[in-house]
Amino acid sequence: MALSGETLVGRERELASIDAALEALGDGGAGCLAIEGEPGIGKSRLVAELRGRAEQRGCIVLHGQAAEFERDRPFGVLIETVDPYLSAQLDDGLGAAPEQLREELAAIFPALRGAGGAPAAIGDERYRSHRAVRTLFELLAEGKPLVIALDDLHWADEATIELLGALLRRPAEAPVLLALSFRPGSAPAGLTAALAAPLSTRLELERLSEDDAALLLADFDAESRAAIYRHGGGNPFYLEQLSRLRQPLRLDRDGAAPALGEVPAGVAASLSEELATLSPVARALLEAAAVAGEPFDPGVAGEIAELEQAAALSALDELLDRVLVRPTDVPRRFIFRHPLVRRSVYESIGGGSRLAAHSRAAASLRSRGAAAAELAHHVEQAASQGDAEAIEVLLEAAAAASGRAPAVAARWLDGALRLLLDADRERQISVRVALASALRSSGELERCREVLLETIALVGADDEPRRLQLTAWCAAVEHWLGHHDEAHLRLIRTWDELGDRGTPEATALQIELAIDGLYTLDYEQTLSMGAAALASAHEIDDPGLTALAAAALSLGESTEGSIEAAREHHAEAVALLDRLGDDELAPYLDAFYYIAWVENYLEHYDAALAHADRAIEIARRAGEGRLLIPLMLTKGYPLEMQGGLGQAAEICEAAVEAARLSGNRHYLFWALFELAWPRYFAGDLDGAIEACEESLRYGERLTGGTIPSSGGGPGWALAVALFTSGETKRAIETMQALGSEEIEFAVPVERCFDWETLALAELETGDVGAAEAHAKRAEDLAAGLAGLQLPLGLAARTRAAILLHKGEAKAAVSSARAGVDGAAAAGARLQAAFSRILLGQALAAAGAREEAIAELREAERELDSCGSLRERDAVRRDLRKLGVRREARGPAAGESGIASLTKREHEIAGLVTDRMTNKEIAAELFLSEKTIESHLRNIFFKLSASSRVDVARAFEREQRG
C-alpha cells in the first residue's frame, strides 16, 4: 500500500502565494517564486501544482529539472526546459527576430542551431547571452504569460545560475514568472545572492504536521500512521517511501525524527527493499539509467546495460509500473521518481561496474554523434591516466564551453590535467595556460594566480620568452586582486634576474614595469621604464612592440602632465596602429587601451572611441577577453564629454554586467563608479549615489587602484552627487576623506573638475577665500598643460562661479564665456552646455536679459539633446524667472538633420526605417527598450520629427543622397 502522489496537503500558505504570483503575472508583471526546502519535502510537487494552475490560466508553461550528476553541461536545465518548446514551434517562437539575436540564442539552444553550429564567443561577453535569453522570454510572452519552472537548482550548472542571476537583477519587461526550487543548504551562492532581489518571493517548505500527514496516510490504521510519521519525520517523500514497505512499521522500533537533510535508516531500507524486488533485467536497466543521466533515453540506457532492444523496453515497462521512473513531456525521455532514488541506485553499483558503465555510455553517445560536452562526464569517469582520446574529448568540451561557461571549461581542463602524464611537459603547460584563462574569465583570480605560478615553475629558465610572458600575466592578476606590492616585487625581481634585456619579451616586461608605476603614482618608474622600453623596441625594430611602448610612455606622460611629450609619443603610436593590420596587432591590444586613454586626456574623443572599438573587434575575433571590460569603460569618458549620456550609460551598464560575471572585484569596483558619472550628468542623482556606494563596498576605498592612474574611484562621483542633491556636509566630508587639497593622485583634467567641486562647496559654506584658492590651483595647472582646452575652460568656469557669488557679474560673464569657449574647443559638448548655464545666469545678473535668454535657451536645447534632464529643467526654471514661458522646440541651427545624429542614434534611425519596433531594435542591439526610447527621444528632437514615419522619411532622403 502507498499513498497517492496526487495528494497535496499542508501547503495552504504556499498555494496562496502561487495564486498571488499568477494573478500579478496576468496583470503583465514579471516575478519570481523561490521554493526551498530539504530533500523530499515536496518542492517538485508544489512546482507541479503551480504548473497546473498556470496552465489553467492560459499561460505558456515550460518545465525542467536539474540533475545531480549532470552539473557540467552549460545551460543544461535551461536547454531541457526551453529547447523542446522551440523545436515544436513552426516559427521557432521568435517570429521576425533579428539575426544577431538568433545567432546568440543558437549558441545555447540546439533547436535554433543551423548547419554551421554555434557562433564563437568569448567568456567575458557572456552577458550578451543573458540579454538574448531575456529577450527570448519577452518574445515568447507577447501572446500569453510565460512561466519558466526550474526544479532542483542546487544541481544546476554555473552558466544557468549566472543567467538566473542576470534575469533576477534585471527582470524581463514582460509577464514572465520564474519558479525556482532548490535545497537551501546546497544552493549555489550566486543563486541565493540573486534571490535577494525585490522581485523574488521565497517559500520555505516545512515538514508536515502529524495531522496533515494523517491525510496522506488515510488508508493506514492509526498505529501504522503513527509509526510511519515517527520514522519519516513529516517529510512527504519519506512518508511515501515508508508506506511502500511490505512489512508495516511498529511504534516500538527506534524511530526518532531525522535531522534536516538526513535520510532515515527506515527510508534507506525501504528503497533497498523496493529495488531488491526488481527482476535482474529491470535492475540492470535502472542502474544503466542512473549512469546515463537525467532525463535518460531508454535506447542509451539499454546499450549501457548491454540489453537487446526488446528486453530493454520490457524492463522499462516494469520500472514504469513500479513508479521508479516516469515519463517526461518529451518523447523517449524518462526521469527517476525522485533524485534520492537515482542516488541510491547509482551508489549501489560497484566501483568497477560503474567505470565500465560510464565507458559504455560514452561509446553509445559517441555512436549517436554526441558532442564532446555530452561525452565529457562519462569519459572523465571512465578514463585512465594517459588516455589520449579521453584527453582530447575533455579539451574539446572545454573549448566549446569557454565562450559562455568558462567555469565549466575550467572543470574539463582540470579533468584533462589529471589524465595527462607528468612527462608530457609541453601539454601540461599549454593546458594550464588555458585553465588560467578560463579561471580568469570566471572570476577565480586567486586560483588563476596559483595556476600561473605552477606554469611558470614548469616552464623554467630554459624558455625565457614564455616565462616572462606568464610572469607579466601573473603580475596583472595580482594587480586585479589588489596585491600591488606583490605584483611590483614580482616584476622587479624578474627584471633584475634577467640575463638578456635586448629581447622582445624583455621589452614587454619593461613596458609592464612602466604601467606598474601608475598603480602607485611612481612617475619616475613609469617614465624611465617607458622611455627605455621604447628605445629597446626601436632597436629590435618590431612595429607592434614599438606601438605598445610608445602608447605606454604617452599614457604615463599624459597622466603626469607632460603634455607635449605625450603628444609626440601619441603620434608615433597612432601612426603604427594605423599602419598595421588587425592580425598583426592582436598580440598588442594593450596599445589600443593605453592610447585611447591618452586621447581622452588630450581631448581627441572621436579617436579614443574609434581605437577602443577597433580593439574590441580584434579581441572578439581573437577570442581574447582580458581587456574587454577596460576597453568598454574607456568609452564612457569621451561619450560623456560629447553629450552621449545614453550611450555612456549603456556601455557602462554592460561593463557592470560583464564585471559581475567575471568575479573580478577590481573591475566591478571600477565599472560601478564609471556608471555613476553618466547617471550623475543625466540628473539621476540617486542612481549615481547607489552605484558609488556599491563600488565602495567592492573596492573598500574612495579612490585608487585603477589603471590608467590611481585617481579613479567612487569618491569624487559620490561627492558631487551628494553636493548636487543638497547633502553639502556629507559631500565635504567625502571630499576631505580623499586626501589633500592638491589632489595629486588625479590626472590633470580630473584635478580641474575636482577643484571646481571643492570651490563650489566652499562657496556654499561661505568660505570664499578657500574657493578662490581652489580656483587658483586650477588656473595654474591649466596654464601649464600646453594648450589643453578643457582644463582652461573648467578653471574659467570655476572663477566665474566665484565672481558671480561675489556679485561681480560683468567679470563673471567674461570668465563664463571663456569656460564655454574652452569646453567647446575641446569638443566637450556637455561641459560647454553646463558653462553656458553659468554664462546665462551671469548675463542675467549683469542686466543683459535678452543675451541671457539666448544663452540659456541654447543651453536648454543642448542639455535636452544630451539627455541631461535635471540641468535642463533647472535652466527652464531660470528662463521662467526671466519671463520666458514657452519651451524650446527643435534643435539649434547646425545641430539638426541626420548628420547631427551620433553613431548609435544613426543606427537606431536606420532600424526604425526598416520598420522595426522598439522591442525588435532592443533585441537587435542587446539593449533595453527604455534605452531605445531614450535614444529615439533624441532622434525626434534632432530631426524635428513627430513620428517614426518622419524619422524614416528623413533617413530615406539621406540614403538617396
Side-chain angles (χ1 to χ4, degrees):
M1 185 187 301
L3 54 85
S4 169
E6 297 302 314
T7 308
L8 183 64
V9 299
R11 301 301 184 208
E12 290 76 14
R13 177 181 63 86
E14 290 82 3
L15 292 174
S17 294
I18 286 173
D19 286 337
L22 292 174
E23 189 71 30
L25 190 67
D27 293 337
C32 174
L33 281 177
I35 301 169
E36 51 190 300
E38 63 177 284
I41 200 66
K43 300 183 295 295
S44 297
R45 179 66 188 84
L46 195 61
V47 169
E49 185 69 24
L50 182 152
R51 291 162 53 201
R53 295 187 180 205
E55 287 171 350
Q56 289 174 4
R57 290 171 177 259
C59 300
I60 300 171
V61 181
L62 307 180
H63 172 250
Q65 186 170 14
E68 182 174 8
F69 303 114
E70 285 78 53
R71 303 186 194 191
D72 298 311
R73 183 186 177 200
F75 303 106
V77 66
L78 185 70
I79 294 169
E80 179 197 338
T81 304
V82 178
D83 209 55
Y85 181 82
L86 296 177
S87 297
Q89 302 300 302
L90 293 178
D91 64 351
D92 67 29
L94 293 181
E99 188 59 33
Q100 187 179 12
L101 174 63
R102 288 178 173 275
E103 288 180 358
E104 197 65 45
L105 291 171
I108 299 174
F109 301 110
L112 302 177
R113 207 164 290 166
I122 54 178
D124 302 79
E125 280 196 307
R126 55 194 187 278
Y127 72 90
R128 294 167 62 89
S129 297
H130 303 166
R131 291 184 173 188
V133 171
R134 181 187 296 111
T135 300
L136 170 64
F137 288 173
E138 290 170 348
L139 291 172
L140 295 181
E142 279 187 340
K144 299 178 180 179
L146 175 66
V147 175
I148 304 290
L150 304 176
D151 247 334
D152 291 332
L153 285 176
H154 45 276
W155 288 323
D157 62 277
E158 185 65 27
T160 297
I161 296 300
E162 284 187 345
L163 169 64
L164 291 174
L167 293 176
L168 290 169
R169 284 190 299 270
R170 185 175 171 183
E173 297 176 2
V176 178
L177 176 65
L178 300 175
L180 315 175
S181 85
F182 56 93
R183 299 177 188 171
S186 307
L191 177 61
T192 53
L195 287 172
L199 180 74
S200 303
T201 299
R202 300 183 73 159
L203 304 179
E204 300 179 18
L205 301 191
E206 298 177 354
R207 292 183 176 186
L208 300 178
S209 68
E210 192 162 359
D211 288 342
D212 287 333
L215 297 175
L216 289 178
L217 301 167
D219 292 339
F220 292 81
D221 59 53
E223 183 180 5
S224 297
R225 286 200 300 271
I228 291 172
Y229 186 79
R230 175 81 177 275
H231 286 266
N235 181 298
F237 173 74
Y238 298 166
L239 299 178
E240 178 186 9
Q241 192 61 49
L242 290 168
S243 72
R244 295 174 181 273
L245 279 170
R246 289 175 294 172
Q247 297 298 322
L249 290 169
R250 291 289 176 255
L251 283 170
D252 56 354
R253 290 179 59 182
D254 179 19
L260 288 176
E262 295 180 359
V263 179
V267 174
S270 172
L271 280 169
S272 297
E273 179 182 281
E274 189 175 4
L275 297 175
T277 63
L278 290 172
S279 69
V281 175
R283 178 63 183 257
L285 185 69
L286 191 65
E287 291 178 352
V291 170
E294 286 193 288
F296 68 88
D297 181 326
V300 174
E303 291 182 14
I304 296 171
E306 299 180 296
L307 296 174
E308 296 291 336
Q309 183 177 6
L313 293 177
S314 177
L316 179 62
D317 287 338
E318 182 178 343
L319 297 177
L320 290 168
D321 287 342
R322 299 288 193 91
V323 202
L324 283 162
V325 301
R326 55 186 175 83
T328 67
D329 296 334
V330 181
R332 293 187 62 83
R333 292 292 183 272
F334 298 84
I335 59 174
F336 281 75
R337 180 175 80 224
H338 192 278
L340 289 173
V341 176
R342 182 190 177 194
R343 169 168 278 280
S344 179
V345 172
Y346 186 82
E347 291 181 346
S348 71
I349 306 170
S353 298
R354 196 184 299 168
L355 289 176
H358 277 294
S359 182
R360 291 193 296 273
S364 176
L365 290 170
R366 192 178 283 111
S367 70
R368 287 170 163 76
E374 296 178 77
L375 297 173
H377 168 69
H378 299 292
V379 163
E380 185 189 33
Q381 293 292 323
S384 57
Q385 194 171 28
D387 185 332
E389 185 177 7
I391 292 168
E392 287 303 323
V393 168
L394 293 173
L395 293 178
E396 185 180 345
S402 63
R404 290 174 175 83
V408 174
R411 164 86 169 80
W412 297 135
L413 290 165
D414 272 327
L417 277 177
R418 284 192 294 271
L419 295 179
L420 278 171
L421 297 172
D422 291 342
D424 193 351
R425 179 164 161 263
E426 188 58 37
R427 202 77 175 280
Q428 289 274 355
I429 291 170
S430 65
V431 173
R432 277 183 167 81
V433 169
L435 175 59
S437 180
L439 291 168
R440 180 205 59 77
S441 187
S442 62
E444 294 188 56
L445 295 182
E446 287 285 5
R447 182 147 186 256
C448 173
R449 175 179 177 273
E450 292 172 8
V451 171
L452 286 171
L453 291 175
E454 292 173 7
T455 312
I456 292 168
L458 279 173
V459 168
D462 59 330
D463 188 355
E464 190 166 84
R466 188 155 54 172
R467 184 172 64 86
L468 294 180
Q469 185 179 43
L470 291 169
T471 297
W473 184 9
C474 186
V477 172
E478 288 170 333
H479 277 308
W480 297 333
L481 287 165
H483 303 163
H484 304 308
D485 290 342
E486 289 182 49
H488 174 73
L489 289 173
R490 184 176 308 286
L491 291 170
I492 288 291
R493 184 170 59 247
T494 304
W495 176 253
D496 289 343
E497 294 172 354
L498 205 57
D500 184 358
R501 295 185 175 181
T503 66
E505 292 76 22
T507 303
L509 180 65
Q510 207 165 13
I511 293 169
E512 286 297 324
L513 279 163
I515 296 301
D516 173 73
L518 292 179
Y519 279 102
T520 54
L521 297 182
D522 187 344
Y523 290 122
E524 182 180 351
Q525 175 183 317
T526 293
L527 299 182
S528 63
M529 284 291 182
L534 181 58
S536 179
H538 284 148
E539 287 183 20
I540 294 169
D541 195 23
D542 182 327
L545 190 62
T546 302
L548 180 62
L553 179 56
S554 181
L555 178 60
E557 291 162 338
S558 62
T559 56
E560 187 262 348
S562 300
I563 302 304
E564 288 292 3
R567 286 186 177 125
E568 176 188 344
H569 295 119
H570 165 265
E572 180 178 3
V574 168
L576 289 167
L577 294 178
D578 290 347
R579 192 184 91 201
L580 297 172
D582 289 354
D583 291 341
E584 294 174 286
L585 288 168
Y588 304 106
L589 281 178
D590 297 76
F592 285 102
Y593 173 48
Y594 302 152
I595 213 65
W597 272 113
V598 172
E599 287 163 340
N600 284 338
Y601 299 147
L602 296 185
E603 302 169 358
H604 304 325
Y605 303 134
D606 286 335
L609 292 170
H611 281 129
D613 283 336
R614 185 181 175 196
I616 289 171
E617 288 307 310
I618 295 173
R620 284 172 178 160
R621 284 196 297 273
E624 172 55 69
R626 176 178 60 88
L627 284 176
L628 180 70
I629 293 171
L631 285 165
M632 293 166 74
L633 293 173
T634 299
K635 297 176 63 177
Y637 181 85
L639 288 169
E640 290 157 19
M641 292 300 105
Q642 293 180 329
L645 297 182
Q647 279 183 273
E650 169 192 321
I651 197 76
C652 290
E653 285 169 357
V656 168
E657 284 188 64
R660 288 192 195 282
L661 295 173
S662 75
N664 186 328
R665 292 174 67 91
H666 173 77
Y667 278 178
L668 186 53
F669 163 73
W670 182 9
L672 282 163
F673 73 70
E674 290 290 2
L675 173 61
W677 284 112
R679 286 181 176 179
Y680 167 74
F681 288 131
D684 179 8
L685 302 183
D686 289 341
I689 292 169
E690 178 185 13
C692 286
E693 290 178 340
E694 186 178 1
S695 172
L696 185 57
R697 288 196 295 273
Y698 282 103
E700 299 177 347
R701 58 193 186 278
L702 286 168
T703 189
T706 60
I707 282 182
S709 84
S710 295
W716 281 106
L718 179 59
V720 296
L722 290 170
F723 177 69
T724 306
S725 64
E727 295 189 52
T728 303
K729 181 180 178 182
R730 188 180 165 202
I732 291 174
E733 289 173 351
T734 303
M735 294 178 210
Q736 290 172 342
L738 292 170
S740 79
E741 294 179 341
E742 296 303 322
I743 319 177
E744 59 277 350
F745 55 79
V747 298
V749 70
E750 288 175 350
R751 285 186 225 171
C752 291
F753 274 114
D754 299 342
W755 278 321
E756 178 184 32
T757 304
L758 280 167
L760 294 176
E762 297 293 1
L763 291 178
E764 187 74 18
T765 63
D767 193 341
V768 177
E772 289 186 324
H774 295 312
K776 183 68 164 58
R777 291 186 182 98
E779 289 163 345
D780 290 346
L781 177 66
L785 292 177
L788 287 184
Q789 295 298 309
L790 183 57
L792 290 170
L794 294 173
R797 188 168 74 195
T798 305
R799 177 62 64 186
I802 295 170
L803 291 168
L804 188 59
H805 179 85
K806 292 165 62 176
E808 300 176 28
K810 289 185 178 179
V813 167
S814 177
S815 289
R817 201 178 299 280
V820 173
D821 293 343
R829 178 187 181 194
L830 183 64
Q831 296 303 319
F834 290 157
S835 296
R836 201 175 294 278
I837 298 172
L838 190 57
L839 175 57
Q841 293 169 342
L843 286 165
R849 178 178 178 275
E850 294 304 319
E851 287 183 72
I853 291 172
E855 293 295 344
L856 291 172
R857 183 66 86 195
E858 179 64 18
E860 177 196 9
R861 290 192 184 95
E862 283 286 270
L863 293 167
D864 190 73
S865 179
C866 294
S868 185
L869 305 186
R870 188 178 188 278
E871 290 302 313
R872 179 206 63 187
D873 292 343
V875 170
R876 287 177 176 174
R877 289 192 293 273
D878 286 342
L879 285 166
R880 285 195 290 272
K881 289 177 184 177
L882 293 172
V884 179
R885 299 298 176 192
R886 192 166 53 85
E887 294 177 4
R889 301 292 179 188
E895 292 296 333
S896 61
I898 291 292
S900 69
L901 301 182
T902 66
K903 181 180 178 182
R904 178 66 90 191
E905 290 165 355
H906 194 278
E907 186 177 22
I908 290 171
L911 296 175
V912 168
T913 305
D914 292 338
R915 307 301 189 263
M916 291 176 67
T917 65
N918 284 7
K919 183 181 288 291
E920 289 169 340
I921 296 172
E924 172 75 13
L925 302 179
F926 290 91
L927 304 175
S928 71
E929 285 191 66
K930 291 180 181 178
T931 300
I932 300 303
E933 290 167 3
S934 175
H935 284 304
L936 278 173
R937 180 180 58 78
N938 291 342
I939 293 169
F940 276 39
F941 178 82
K942 292 180 179 180
L943 300 184
S944 298
S946 59
S947 70
R948 297 168 75 91
V949 172
D950 290 342
V951 172
R953 286 172 178 165
F955 197 84
E956 287 167 348
R957 282 197 299 271
E958 187 219 24
Q959 297 298 97
R960 289 195 297 268

